[in-house]
Amino acid sequence: MKLAVSDLRAWYGPAQILFDVALDVGPGEVVALLGRNGAGKSTTFKAIVGLVERRGRVAFEGRDLGAAETHAIARAGLGYVPEERRIFTELTVAENLEVGRQAPRPGAPTWEPETLYRLFPNLSEMRNRPGGRMSGGEQQMLTIARTLMGNPSLVLLDEPSEGLAPKIVEEMATAILAMKREGLSLLISEQNLHFAKLISDRAVILERGRVRFAGTMAELEADETVRDSFLAM
Amino acid sequence: MDFLVVQFLTGLAGASSLFLVASGLSIIFGVTRIVNFAHGAFYMLGAYAAYSLTERWEGALGFWGGIVAAAIGVAAVGALVEVTLLRRIYRAPELFQLLATFGVTLVVQDLSIILWGPEDLVGRRAPGFRSSISILGQQVPSYDLFLIALGPLVLGLIWLLFHRTRFGVLVRAATQDRDMVAALGVNQRWLFTGVFALGVFLAALGGALQLPRDAVSHTMDLRIIVEVFVVVVIGGLGSVAGAYVAALIVAELNAFGILVLPQVSLVLVFAVMAIVLVVRPYGLFGRPEGPPRTGTAGLIRPWRPFSGGERIAVAVGLVAAAALPLVGGSYLLSVGAEIAIFCLFAASLQLLMSAGGIASFGHAAYFGLGSYGAALAAKTLGWPLPAALAAGAALGTAGAALFGWFCVRLSGVYFAMLTLAFAQIAWSIAFQWTSVTGGDNGILGIWPPPWAGSPAAFYWIALALAAGGIAALRVIAFSPFGYALRAVRDSALKAEAVGISRRAVQWTAFVVAGGFAALAGALFAYLKGSVFPDNLAIPLSVDGLVMVLLGGVETVTGAVVGAVLFRALTIVLMSYTDYSKLVLGLLVVVLVVAFPKGVVGSLQGLRPPWRRAAAPPVAVPAR
């Protein structure tokens, strides 16, 4: 397994959000993390990269990162793209990419600004534009490109399609499939089941901080009860 | 006219070193969110180190090498302070770092006296810049012209560093969102250390470059730190260009203020700062602050009134305190009264800081107004003790109402800075309005009438009023108004959405806190029999912050414990050592590291597990 998470618990202050979450991602695999608003998808990602108080096991390429610091986790090759995008608004597109830069990593695709500008053509036209003066879709692309600059072997993508126009969502799906072709493993949280089906091999469903389903997309497709109980609005 | 040009050039020269120090402070704040109170101390160390090195090393190379080496050496000291002290407390509530750097300031003050002696030191003139140049028939020192050129040069170098190097890009990114920078694989520790060392280097360089202009003295740290705070706030925290423009404004105000209105030169700079903040709440070049680093909501334990057992403990404590006259002599009673008064002062500040989530850096203003109100009522109007105490409390309340109206328009560090500015204005008025306040000589002979004059009687009065005041403050914290105040603290937006006016609630809290501080100040005037401008000076405001933070800013009235500890220690240290600041500073540093949640807050953390609510292992990691 590329990433094997088990017994993951997390807290916001006194409130426990995650209860013994377990999930795994194989090499080159795309896994969708599904669930309604507030199910704990974003918190799972933050717990994996150490941005909230957490306990549990996070085995990444055989190393336990369950207690590691955020920067060490990123250095190990685990990239994180937050839902809120968190673009450095004062920095230009090129400078945003520079912040993400890390040395090439054996066993992971290597990215340079030029290759990323080919993957996200919109960005190449605005290299010197401050991040704060970009549209939501452009920011979403920049935040993915910025994480890829660290040459990760696995990327956590938090709600990449959220709040984007349908045309941009399509571009995003294309980009994600391109990342998969490069050999990246991906864990993607989604509320849009249609989008998830488009890109994922397997699915994990969270509800109120607990894993309720884990299986292939085909199995999820077949199981109407699961879809109705944990996904239907 | 020619004279004005020269005065203008003098102002420009002053602006350069002010800018060096301020830009360092601004850069450090931008990335680490630390309001580095020790910045003035590093400035002073830079000047002292440069003095020693340039006295030892000869020639022009020795002089300039000495200046640069001094700045580098002090930067190394700064890096050491960051690694050994600040790094341990980045996760503590924001103001804790301020407290730690204040402790460092105290230590450096005494160390510099030990190492370099109490006398002012006059250093060498700068080789190659000893002459004057004639401009419009007036003589301008060529060293001033050198400084004038240096300011923009350093500004340009900093700009290049921030825009053309990876370090600079990371610094700018971290200024906006440190967690995201960490999630991209950057080890923030070394970034923080690097930024801190850079900021300290600039401060020390500013100090070292003052050598040919001014004598080196052990009071230069506090003199510069207040001016630098003003510069940074006018310019906008985190903005280097803003620091330059603001340094120009402040230096020119100083240069011309002395000519036009020498009496109000002190007030002038602070008045300009107040106006800028009211018009542009984030300074000329600043942007709104990001959310505070610590999610306070996650850190604060649920507050609750005292349980039955705790009530008994408090009652026993009060009875024990009231029994002090049975065992203690008059010295002990006067110490006891002083501690009681400071408990009330600290508790009033805590209402603002803990329930209100707003930290006043100038709370001594209302304490001092209370002192002056009581003193004037007693001396000038001949009012009896109760009426004079009421007059003091009323004056402080009125002052808090006036200043608070401006202050609550801001939030966070800017709020703190504006309260500091108003306190400094109040201090300047007390210092300079000699006909009413007696200026530096103060008002003497304010003694209680015979019925309250014995040490025991006055001690009981002080204890009763302090205990009553603190009880009232607790009641307020748990009243509907207290809930509204805490709602505004936790989320101003949500509170506004349910119909609570942030400004109205915070203003009311400010006035209430000011009123209780003023009552403490009025009592203090009678305890000491005199009032001086010191009663509303910055050190007293800082004492208040220390007491609250020591007690625990997450507690309801932990400040009472902080006040007892801190005041008792101060009084004891003052009488047993010549180096009280050194000991006190070290103590503050040790306490901050040992009790990052304050003494009371940390003790609460030690409650046995079965007494605790179902809680997380520790608080949210805050960065």
Side-chain angles (χ1 to χ4, degrees):
Chain A
M1 278 297 133
K2 192 83 190 163
L3 174 74
V5 174
S6 52
D7 300 324
L8 188 63
R9 288 154 291 151
W11 291 263
Y12 281 124
Q16 185 166 2
I17 308 297
L18 297 185
F19 301 85
D20 304 319
V21 166
L23 57 86
D24 46 41
V25 182
E29 197 178 28
V30 178
V31 175
L33 186 61
L34 305 173
R36 299 189 182 105
N37 246 345
K41 303 188 295 292
S42 292
T43 307
T44 303
F45 284 4
K46 285 181 183 161
I48 291 173
V49 295
L51 286 175
V52 291
E53 179 60 32
R54 90 287 203 205
R55 295 282 182 277
R57 210 180 129 71
V58 177
F60 178 64
E61 294 176 342
R63 267 174 75 189
D64 186 14
L65 299 177
E69 290 182 273
T70 301
H71 70 89
I73 292 170
R75 291 244 151 167
L78 206 159
Y80 166 58
V81 179
E83 181 185 8
E84 319 86 283
R85 294 173 190 144
R86 297 170 84 160
I87 287 301
F88 303 114
T89 49
E90 313 274 301
L91 273 57
T92 63
V93 168
E95 286 172 334
N96 265 282
L97 294 182
E98 173 60 30
V99 176
R101 179 195 293 278
Q102 284 178 51
R105 201 180 310 282
T110 301
W111 304 88
E112 284 295 327
E114 288 311 317
T115 46
L116 288 166
Y117 289 140
R118 275 198 294 280
L119 186 62
F120 300 109
N122 288 4
L123 295 183
S124 86
E125 290 153 25
M126 47 182 78
R127 298 175 194 204
N128 292 317
R129 185 181 293 185
R133 296 219 319 263
M134 299 167 71
S135 72
E138 289 157 359
Q139 287 194 353
Q140 184 66 54
M141 290 169 190
L142 177 57
T143 184
I144 294 173
R146 186 179 62 180
T147 297
L148 291 180
M149 280 296 288
N151 304 314
S153 60
L154 182 143
V155 173
L156 310 178
L157 257 181
D158 200 355
E159 306 239 10
S161 75
E162 194 196 19
L164 300 183
K167 185 174 167 291
I168 312 284
V169 173
E170 259 173 55
E171 285 180 31
M172 195 61 67
T174 316
I176 289 169
L177 290 173
M179 286 155 65
K180 187 184 178 185
R181 272 199 307 277
E182 293 286 329
L184 266 179
S185 313
L186 288 150
L187 180 61
I188 302 179
S189 86
E190 259 307 328
Q191 291 199 55
N192 181 340
L193 185 59
H194 172 71
F195 183 78
K197 273 191 275 191
L198 217 56
I199 54 178
S200 329
D201 306 313
R202 285 193 299 119
V204 174
I205 297 181
L206 283 180
E207 192 215 33
R208 298 170 75 179
R210 290 182 168 84
V211 173
R212 297 297 184 169
F213 170 89
T216 62
M217 286 318 278
E219 283 165 354
L220 178 62
E221 192 68 17
D223 195 336
E224 197 172 328
T225 342
V226 165
R227 288 208 313 275
D228 283 352
S229 321
F230 304 123
L231 297 179
M233 292 295 157
Chain B
M1 176 59 210
D2 301 348
F3 178 63
L4 291 183
V5 171
V6 172
Q7 199 66 17
F8 178 74
L9 291 176
T10 309
L12 277 185
S16 281
S17 68
L18 203 51
F19 161 67
L20 283 180
V21 188
S23 62
L25 186 77
S26 202
I27 292 167
I28 290 175
F29 175 83
V31 175
T32 66
R33 298 284 137 165
I34 288 183
V35 179
N36 181 22
F37 207 96
H39 216 63
F42 291 123
Y43 164 83
M44 179 172 76
L45 277 183
Y48 271 118
Y51 171 83
S52 293
L53 292 177
T54 54
E55 289 298 300
R56 196 154 307 162
W57 298 346
E58 287 174 8
L61 195 65
F63 180 86
W64 296 109
I67 298 277
V68 174
I72 292 174
V74 176
V77 173
L80 192 71
V81 167
E82 199 277 342
V83 170
T84 54
L85 171 62
L86 298 178
R87 202 176 260 195
R88 293 169 192 277
I89 53 172
Y90 280 123
R91 291 175 179 221
E94 288 211 345
L95 283 167
F96 246 77
Q97 293 105 22
L98 177 88
L99 189 54
T101 57
F102 178 67
V104 171
T105 306
L106 289 175
V107 171
V108 169
Q109 276 179 353
D110 266 0
L111 275 184
S112 67
I113 292 177
I114 294 171
L115 290 175
W116 285 282
E119 307 297 327
D120 287 5
L121 303 174
V122 179
R124 274 166 72 187
R125 305 285 298 280
F129 293 95
R130 294 202 176 109
S131 56
S132 292
I133 288 168
S134 178
I135 294 179
L136 297 172
Q138 304 269 339
Q139 295 297 308
V140 179
S142 56
Y143 188 72
D144 277 11
L145 297 177
F146 163 75
L147 286 182
I148 292 172
L150 189 71
L153 181 71
V154 171
L155 180 63
L157 287 175
I158 294 176
W159 190 89
L160 282 177
L161 177 71
F162 279 9
H163 289 84
R164 292 287 178 267
T165 69
R166 176 168 166 88
F167 172 78
V169 171
L170 292 181
V171 166
R172 284 160 59 216
T175 303
Q176 188 182 347
D177 188 342
R178 277 163 301 179
D179 276 355
M180 196 58 231
V181 172
L184 291 168
V186 178
N187 187 343
Q188 299 188 56
R189 285 205 193 93
W190 295 110
L191 194 62
F192 279 29
T193 309
V195 164
F196 199 81
L198 171 66
V200 170
F201 172 83
L202 290 168
L205 186 64
L209 287 169
Q210 283 299 88
L211 201 59
R213 291 189 99 207
D214 227 339
V216 185
S217 83
H218 59 272
T219 57
M220 59 195 290
D221 57 343
L222 283 186
R223 257 189 291 143
I224 193 100
I225 195 71
V226 173
E227 269 194 357
V228 163
F229 274 8
V230 172
V231 166
V232 164
V233 166
I234 290 181
L237 282 163
S239 163
V240 175
Y244 186 70
V245 173
L248 286 182
I249 293 173
V250 169
E252 292 300 345
L253 277 175
N254 278 336
F256 286 99
I258 299 258
L259 294 181
V260 186
L261 289 165
Q263 279 83 29
V264 298
S265 58
L266 279 171
V267 180
L268 197 60
V269 169
F270 284 94
V272 168
M273 165 171 158
I275 293 167
V276 166
L277 283 186
V278 168
V279 179
R280 283 192 61 96
Y282 302 103
L284 294 174
F285 290 76
R287 290 186 175 76
E289 273 182 81
R293 183 173 65 253
T294 42
T296 33
L299 275 166
I300 291 189
R301 284 158 202 287
W303 283 0
R304 50 175 183 73
F306 284 135
S307 65
E310 285 164 333
R311 280 180 197 197
I312 293 170
V314 169
V316 169
L318 262 181
V319 169
L324 188 68
L326 301 179
V327 291
S330 60
Y331 174 71
L332 195 62
L333 288 177
S334 116
V335 169
E338 186 170 336
I339 289 176
I341 288 167
F342 277 93
C343 284
L344 179 59
F345 174 58
S348 73
L349 179 59
Q350 180 150 42
L351 179 75
L352 277 186
M353 289 176 65
S354 298
I358 47 182
S360 169
F361 280 25
H363 205 53
Y366 314 106
F367 183 90
L369 281 175
S371 295
Y372 275 101
L376 291 172
K379 288 289 282 188
T380 327
L381 305 173
W383 288 8
L385 174 78
L389 289 181
L395 185 65
T397 307
L402 176 66
F403 293 162
W405 188 85
F406 292 98
C407 294
V408 297
R409 265 137 232 285
L410 310 179
S411 58
V413 176
Y414 287 92
F415 170 87
M417 295 291 177
L418 190 58
T419 54
L420 177 81
F422 278 124
Q424 199 61 9
I425 289 175
W427 179 83
S428 303
I429 292 171
F431 191 78
Q432 290 175 337
W433 197 9
T434 354
S435 57
V436 174
T437 63
D440 205 15
N441 296 324
I443 304 172
L444 306 177
I446 312 140
W447 298 112
W451 60 267
S454 78
F458 190 78
Y459 169 74
W460 276 321
I461 292 173
L463 183 67
L465 285 175
I470 294 163
L473 285 162
R474 261 193 92 89
V475 168
I476 290 170
F478 286 108
S479 70
F481 170 76
Y483 290 136
L485 188 58
R486 285 152 68 186
V488 167
R489 172 197 71 195
D490 291 341
S491 172
L493 269 182
K494 288 175 194 163
E496 295 263 5
V498 294
I500 299 170
S501 160
R502 180 184 77 80
R503 280 186 192 170
V505 166
Q506 290 188 338
W507 183 66
T508 310
F510 198 90
V511 174
V512 168
F516 281 104
L519 178 61
L523 281 167
F524 192 66
Y526 275 99
L527 175 71
K528 295 291 177 189
S530 54
V531 178
F532 297 102
D534 279 359
N535 288 28
L536 24 72
I538 290 173
L540 189 66
S541 293
V542 176
D543 283 359
L545 291 169
V546 172
M547 292 185 273
V548 173
L549 292 170
L550 266 187
V553 73
E554 297 160 31
T555 61
V556 190
T557 36
V560 171
V561 177
V564 172
L565 272 179
F566 183 74
R567 206 65 208 179
L569 279 172
T570 316
I571 292 169
V572 170
L573 289 176
M574 289 288 187
S575 49
Y576 284 103
T577 166
D578 289 340
Y579 299 112
S580 57
K581 286 180 190 164
L582 179 67
V583 181
L584 195 66
L586 286 174
L587 202 76
V588 166
V589 167
V590 169
L591 286 174
V592 161
V593 173
F595 299 107
K597 289 161 165 291
V599 175
V600 177
S602 297
L603 288 179
Q604 281 179 349
L606 294 178
R607 287 164 148 266
W610 59 89
R611 295 282 304 275
R612 265 178 268 165
V618 284
V620 182
R623 231 168 286 163

